[in-house]
Coordinates of all heavy atoms in Angstrom, one line a residue:
M893 N -66.2 34.0 -39.2 CA -65.2 34.4 -38.3 C -65.9 34.7 -36.9 O -66.9 35.4 -36.9 CB -64.5 35.6 -38.7 CG -63.4 36.0 -37.7 SD -62.7 37.6 -37.8 CE -61.8 37.9 -39.1
A894 N -65.4 34.2 -35.9 CA -66.1 34.4 -34.6 C -65.3 35.4 -33.8 O -64.0 35.5 -33.9 CB -66.1 33.1 -33.8
L895 N -66.0 36.2 -33.0 CA -65.3 37.2 -32.2 C -65.3 36.6 -30.8 O -66.2 36.0 -30.3 CB -66.1 38.5 -32.1 CG -66.1 39.3 -33.4 CD1 -67.0 40.5 -33.2 CD2 -64.8 39.7 -33.8
V896 N -64.1 36.8 -30.1 CA -63.9 36.2 -28.8 C -63.7 37.4 -27.8 O -62.8 38.3 -28.1 CB -62.7 35.3 -28.7 CG1 -62.4 34.9 -27.3 CG2 -62.8 34.1 -29.6
H897 N -64.6 37.5 -26.8 CA -64.4 38.6 -25.8 C -63.8 38.0 -24.6 O -64.3 37.1 -24.0 CB -65.8 39.2 -25.5 CG -66.5 39.8 -26.7 ND1 -66.2 41.1 -27.1 CD2 -67.4 39.4 -27.6 CE1 -66.9 41.4 -28.2 NE2 -67.6 40.4 -28.5
T898 N -62.7 38.6 -24.2 CA -62.0 38.1 -23.0 C -62.4 38.9 -21.8 O -62.1 38.4 -20.7 CB -60.4 38.3 -23.2 OG1 -60.2 39.7 -23.4 CG2 -59.9 37.5 -24.4
G899 N -63.1 40.0 -21.9 CA -63.5 40.7 -20.7 C -62.5 41.7 -20.2 O -62.8 42.4 -19.2
E900 N -61.3 41.7 -20.8 CA -60.3 42.6 -20.4 C -60.4 44.0 -21.1 O -60.8 44.0 -22.3 CB -58.9 42.1 -20.6 CG -58.6 40.8 -19.8 CD -57.3 40.2 -20.2 OE1 -56.5 40.9 -20.9 OE2 -57.0 39.1 -19.8
A901 N -60.2 45.0 -20.4 CA -60.2 46.3 -21.1 C -59.0 46.5 -22.0 O -57.9 46.0 -21.7 CB -60.2 47.5 -20.1
P902 N -59.1 47.1 -23.2 CA -58.0 47.2 -24.1 C -57.0 48.2 -23.5 O -57.3 49.1 -22.8 CB -58.6 47.8 -25.4 CG -59.9 48.4 -24.9 CD -60.4 47.6 -23.8
A903 N -55.7 47.9 -23.7 CA -54.7 48.8 -23.2 C -54.7 50.2 -23.8 O -54.9 50.3 -25.0 CB -53.3 48.2 -23.4
S904 N -54.5 51.2 -23.0 CA -54.5 52.5 -23.6 C -53.3 52.8 -24.4 O -52.3 52.1 -24.2 CB -54.7 53.6 -22.5 OG -53.5 53.6 -21.7
A905 N -53.3 53.8 -25.3 CA -52.1 54.1 -26.1 C -51.0 54.5 -25.2 O -49.8 54.2 -25.5 CB -52.5 55.2 -27.1
A906 N -51.3 55.3 -24.1 CA -50.2 55.7 -23.2 C -49.5 54.5 -22.5 O -48.3 54.5 -22.3 CB -50.8 56.7 -22.2
A907 N -50.3 53.5 -22.2 CA -49.7 52.4 -21.5 C -48.9 51.6 -22.5 O -47.8 51.1 -22.1 CB -50.8 51.5 -20.9
V908 N -49.3 51.5 -23.7 CA -48.5 50.8 -24.7 C -47.2 51.5 -24.9 O -46.1 50.9 -25.0 CB -49.3 50.6 -26.0 CG1 -48.4 50.1 -27.1 CG2 -50.5 49.7 -25.8
V909 N -47.3 52.9 -25.1 CA -46.0 53.7 -25.3 C -45.1 53.5 -24.1 O -43.9 53.4 -24.2 CB -46.4 55.1 -25.5 CG1 -45.2 56.0 -25.5 CG2 -47.1 55.3 -26.9
A910 N -45.6 53.6 -22.8 CA -44.8 53.5 -21.7 C -44.1 52.1 -21.6 O -42.9 52.0 -21.3 CB -45.6 53.7 -20.4
A911 N -44.9 51.0 -21.9 CA -44.3 49.7 -21.8 C -43.2 49.5 -22.9 O -42.2 48.9 -22.7 CB -45.4 48.7 -22.0
T912 N -43.5 50.1 -24.1 CA -42.5 50.0 -25.1 C -41.2 50.8 -24.8 O -40.1 50.3 -25.0 CB -43.1 50.6 -26.4 OG1 -44.2 49.8 -26.8 CG2 -42.1 50.5 -27.6
A913 N -41.4 52.0 -24.2 CA -40.2 52.8 -23.8 C -39.4 52.1 -22.7 O -38.1 52.0 -22.8 CB -40.7 54.1 -23.3
I914 N -40.1 51.5 -21.8 CA -39.3 50.7 -20.7 C -38.6 49.5 -21.3 O -37.5 49.3 -20.9 CB -40.3 50.3 -19.6 CG1 -40.8 51.6 -18.8 CG2 -39.7 49.3 -18.6 CD1 -42.0 51.3 -17.9
T915 N -39.3 48.8 -22.2 CA -38.6 47.6 -22.8 C -37.4 48.0 -23.6 O -36.4 47.4 -23.5 CB -39.7 46.9 -23.7 OG1 -40.8 46.5 -22.9 CG2 -39.1 45.7 -24.3
V916 N -37.5 49.1 -24.4 CA -36.4 49.6 -25.2 C -35.3 50.0 -24.3 O -34.1 49.7 -24.5 CB -36.8 50.7 -26.1 CG1 -35.7 51.4 -26.8 CG2 -37.8 50.1 -27.2
A917 N -35.6 50.7 -23.2 CA -34.5 51.2 -22.3 C -33.8 50.0 -21.6 O -32.6 50.0 -21.5 CB -35.1 52.1 -21.2
I918 N -34.5 49.0 -21.2 CA -33.9 47.8 -20.6 C -33.1 47.1 -21.7 O -32.0 46.6 -21.4 CB -35.0 46.9 -20.0 CG1 -35.6 47.5 -18.8 CG2 -34.4 45.5 -19.7 CD1 -36.8 46.8 -18.2
A919 N -33.6 47.0 -22.9 CA -32.8 46.3 -24.0 C -31.5 47.1 -24.2 O -30.5 46.4 -24.4 CB -33.7 46.3 -25.2
F920 N -31.5 48.4 -24.2 CA -30.3 49.2 -24.5 C -29.3 49.0 -23.3 O -28.1 48.9 -23.5 CB -30.6 50.7 -24.7 CG -30.9 51.0 -26.1 CD1 -32.1 51.4 -26.5 CD2 -29.9 50.9 -27.1 CE1 -32.4 51.7 -27.8 CE2 -30.1 51.1 -28.4 CZ -31.4 51.6 -28.8
L921 N -29.9 48.9 -22.1 CA -29.0 48.7 -20.9 C -28.3 47.3 -21.0 O -27.1 47.2 -20.8 CB -29.8 48.8 -19.6 CG -29.0 48.5 -18.3 CD1 -27.9 49.6 -18.1 CD2 -30.0 48.5 -17.1
V922 N -29.1 46.3 -21.3 CA -28.5 45.0 -21.5 C -27.5 45.0 -22.6 O -26.4 44.4 -22.5 CB -29.6 43.9 -21.7 CG1 -29.0 42.6 -22.0 CG2 -30.4 43.8 -20.4
L923 N -27.8 45.6 -23.7 CA -26.9 45.7 -24.9 C -25.6 46.4 -24.5 O -24.5 45.9 -24.8 CB -27.5 46.4 -26.0 CG -26.6 46.6 -27.3 CD1 -26.3 45.2 -27.9 CD2 -27.3 47.5 -28.3
Y924 N -25.7 47.5 -23.7 CA -24.5 48.1 -23.2 C -23.7 47.3 -22.3 O -22.5 47.1 -22.5 CB -24.9 49.5 -22.5 CG -23.7 50.0 -21.8 CD1 -22.7 50.7 -22.5 CD2 -23.5 49.9 -20.4 CE1 -21.6 51.2 -21.9 CE2 -22.4 50.4 -19.8 CZ -21.5 51.1 -20.5 OH -20.4 51.6 -19.8
L925 N -24.4 46.6 -21.3 CA -23.6 45.8 -20.3 C -22.9 44.7 -21.0 O -21.8 44.3 -20.7 CB -24.6 45.3 -19.3 CG -25.0 46.4 -18.2 CD1 -26.1 45.8 -17.3 CD2 -23.9 46.9 -17.4
V926 N -23.6 44.0 -22.0 CA -23.0 42.8 -22.6 C -22.0 43.2 -23.7 O -20.9 42.6 -23.8 CB -24.1 42.0 -23.2 CG1 -23.5 40.8 -24.0 CG2 -25.0 41.4 -22.1
G927 N -22.3 44.3 -24.4 CA -21.5 44.6 -25.6 C -20.4 45.6 -25.4 O -19.3 45.5 -26.0
F928 N -20.6 46.6 -24.5 CA -19.6 47.7 -24.5 C -19.1 48.0 -23.1 O -18.2 48.8 -23.0 CB -20.3 48.9 -25.0 CG -20.9 48.7 -26.4 CD1 -22.3 48.6 -26.6 CD2 -20.1 48.7 -27.5 CE1 -22.8 48.3 -27.9 CE2 -20.6 48.5 -28.8 CZ -21.9 48.3 -29.0
D929 N -19.6 47.4 -22.1 CA -19.2 47.8 -20.7 C -17.8 47.5 -20.4 O -17.1 48.3 -19.8 CB -20.2 47.1 -19.7 CG -19.8 47.4 -18.3 OD1 -19.7 48.5 -17.9 OD2 -19.6 46.4 -17.5
Q930 N -17.3 46.3 -20.8 CA -15.9 45.9 -20.6 C -15.5 46.0 -19.2 O -14.4 46.2 -18.9 CB -15.0 46.7 -21.5 CG -15.2 46.5 -23.0 CD -14.8 45.1 -23.5 OE1 -14.0 44.4 -22.9 NE2 -15.3 44.7 -24.6
G931 N -16.4 45.8 -18.3 CA -16.1 45.7 -16.8 C -16.2 47.0 -16.1 O -16.0 47.1 -14.9
T932 N -16.6 48.1 -16.8 CA -16.7 49.4 -16.1 C -17.8 49.4 -15.0 O -17.5 49.8 -13.9 CB -17.1 50.5 -17.1 OG1 -16.1 50.5 -18.1 CG2 -17.1 51.9 -16.4
I933 N -18.9 48.9 -15.3 CA -20.0 48.7 -14.3 C -20.1 47.3 -13.8 O -20.2 47.1 -12.6 CB -21.4 49.1 -14.9 CG1 -21.3 50.6 -15.3 CG2 -22.5 48.9 -14.0 CD1 -22.6 51.1 -16.1
S934 N -19.9 46.4 -14.7 CA -20.1 45.0 -14.2 C -18.9 44.4 -13.4 O -19.0 43.3 -13.0 CB -20.3 44.1 -15.5 OG -19.2 44.1 -16.3
R935 N -17.9 45.2 -13.1 CA -16.8 44.8 -12.4 C -17.1 44.6 -10.9 O -16.3 44.2 -10.1 CB -15.6 45.7 -12.5 CG -14.3 45.1 -12.1 CD -13.1 46.1 -12.4 NE -13.0 46.4 -13.8 CZ -12.1 45.8 -14.6 NH1 -11.3 44.9 -14.1 NH2 -12.1 46.1 -15.9
S936 N -18.3 45.0 -10.5 CA -18.7 45.0 -9.1 C -18.6 43.6 -8.5 O -18.5 43.5 -7.3 CB -20.1 45.6 -8.9 OG -21.0 44.9 -9.6
G937 N -18.7 42.6 -9.3 CA -18.6 41.3 -8.8 C -18.1 40.4 -9.9 O -18.5 40.6 -11.1
M938 N -17.3 39.4 -9.6 CA -16.8 38.6 -10.7 C -17.9 37.8 -11.4 O -17.8 37.5 -12.6 CB -15.7 37.6 -10.2 CG -14.4 38.4 -9.9 SD -13.8 39.4 -11.3 CE -13.4 38.2 -12.5
F939 N -18.9 37.4 -10.7 CA -20.0 36.6 -11.3 C -20.6 37.4 -12.4 O -20.8 37.0 -13.6 CB -21.1 36.2 -10.3 CG -22.2 35.5 -11.0 CD1 -22.2 34.2 -11.4 CD2 -23.4 36.2 -11.1 CE1 -23.3 33.6 -12.0 CE2 -24.5 35.6 -11.7 CZ -24.4 34.3 -12.2
L940 N -21.0 38.7 -12.1 CA -21.6 39.6 -13.1 C -20.7 39.8 -14.3 O -21.0 39.8 -15.5 CB -22.1 40.9 -12.5 CG -22.9 41.8 -13.4 CD1 -24.2 41.1 -13.9 CD2 -23.3 43.0 -12.6
H941 N -19.4 40.1 -14.0 CA -18.4 40.3 -15.0 C -18.2 39.1 -15.9 O -18.2 39.3 -17.2 CB -17.0 40.7 -14.3 CG -16.0 40.9 -15.3 ND1 -15.8 42.0 -16.1 CD2 -14.9 40.1 -15.7 CE1 -14.8 41.9 -16.9 NE2 -14.2 40.8 -16.7
E942 N -18.2 37.9 -15.3 CA -18.0 36.7 -16.2 C -19.3 36.5 -17.0 O -19.2 36.0 -18.1 CB -17.7 35.5 -15.3 CG -16.3 35.6 -14.6 CD -15.2 35.6 -15.7 OE1 -15.3 35.0 -16.7 OE2 -14.2 36.3 -15.4
L943 N -20.5 36.8 -16.4 CA -21.7 36.6 -17.1 C -21.8 37.5 -18.4 O -22.1 37.0 -19.5 CB -22.9 36.9 -16.2 CG -24.3 36.7 -16.8 CD1 -24.5 35.2 -17.1 CD2 -25.3 37.2 -15.9
M944 N -21.4 38.7 -18.2 CA -21.4 39.7 -19.3 C -20.3 39.2 -20.4 O -20.5 39.3 -21.6 CB -21.1 41.1 -18.9 CG -22.1 41.6 -18.0 SD -23.8 41.6 -18.7 CE -24.8 41.7 -17.3
H945 N -19.2 38.7 -19.9 CA -18.1 38.3 -20.8 C -18.6 37.1 -21.6 O -18.4 37.0 -22.8 CB -16.9 37.9 -20.0 CG -15.7 37.5 -20.8 ND1 -14.7 36.7 -20.4 CD2 -15.4 37.9 -22.1 CE1 -13.8 36.5 -21.3 NE2 -14.2 37.2 -22.4
D946 N -19.3 36.1 -21.0 CA -19.9 35.0 -21.7 C -20.9 35.5 -22.7 O -21.1 34.9 -23.8 CB -20.5 34.0 -20.7 CG -19.4 33.3 -19.9 OD1 -18.2 33.4 -20.3 OD2 -19.7 32.7 -18.9
G947 N -21.7 36.5 -22.3 CA -22.7 37.0 -23.2 C -22.1 37.6 -24.4 O -22.7 37.5 -25.5
R948 N -21.0 38.3 -24.3 CA -20.3 38.8 -25.5 C -19.9 37.7 -26.4 O -20.1 37.8 -27.6 CB -19.0 39.6 -25.1 CG -19.3 41.0 -24.7 CD -18.0 41.9 -24.6 NE -17.2 41.4 -23.5 CZ -17.3 41.8 -22.3 NH1 -18.2 42.5 -21.9 NH2 -16.4 41.3 -21.4
H949 N -19.3 36.7 -25.9 CA -19.0 35.6 -26.8 C -20.2 34.9 -27.4 O -20.1 34.5 -28.6 CB -18.2 34.5 -25.9 CG -16.8 35.0 -25.7 ND1 -15.7 34.6 -26.5 CD2 -16.2 35.8 -24.7 CE1 -14.6 35.1 -26.0 NE2 -14.9 35.8 -25.0
L950 N -21.3 34.8 -26.6 CA -22.5 34.1 -27.1 C -23.0 34.9 -28.3 O -23.5 34.4 -29.3 CB -23.5 34.0 -26.0 CG -24.9 33.4 -26.4 CD1 -24.7 31.9 -26.7 CD2 -25.9 33.6 -25.3
L951 N -23.0 36.3 -28.2 CA -23.6 37.1 -29.3 C -22.6 37.4 -30.4 O -23.0 38.0 -31.4 CB -24.1 38.4 -28.6 CG -25.2 38.3 -27.7 CD1 -25.5 39.7 -27.0 CD2 -26.5 37.7 -28.3
G952 N -21.4 37.0 -30.3 CA -20.4 37.2 -31.3 C -19.8 38.6 -31.3 O -19.3 39.0 -32.4
V953 N -20.0 39.3 -30.2 CA -19.4 40.7 -30.1 C -17.9 40.6 -30.0 O -17.4 39.8 -29.1 CB -20.0 41.5 -29.0 CG1 -19.4 42.8 -28.8 CG2 -21.5 41.6 -29.1
P954 N -17.1 41.3 -30.7 CA -15.6 41.2 -30.6 C -15.2 41.5 -29.1 O -15.7 42.5 -28.5 CB -15.1 42.3 -31.5 CG -16.2 42.6 -32.5 CD -17.5 42.3 -31.8
C955 N -14.4 40.7 -28.6 CA -14.1 40.8 -27.2 C -12.5 40.9 -27.0 O -12.0 41.9 -26.6 CB -14.6 39.6 -26.4 SG -14.4 39.7 -24.6
H956 N -11.9 39.8 -27.3 CA -10.4 39.8 -27.1 C -9.8 38.8 -28.1 O -10.5 38.2 -28.9 CB -10.0 39.3 -25.7 CG -10.6 38.1 -25.2 ND1 -10.2 36.8 -25.5 CD2 -11.8 37.9 -24.5 CE1 -10.9 35.9 -24.9 NE2 -11.9 36.5 -24.3
Ligands
ZN1707 ZN1 -13.8 37.3 -24.2

């Protein structure tokens, strides 16, 4: 087995935790907007509203 050194410093545990927390927060925001918002926030523009509506249908979330 060969070891490959890329020259990059390994990510610190705090950086990994921060990146994971940000990713999870964004995932929950997208899940809320697509699955549960029903136009409360996404009504600001019809494009965004229609995009979230299509996302609900794409994911099979009950809509109408
Ligand atoms: Zn629908």
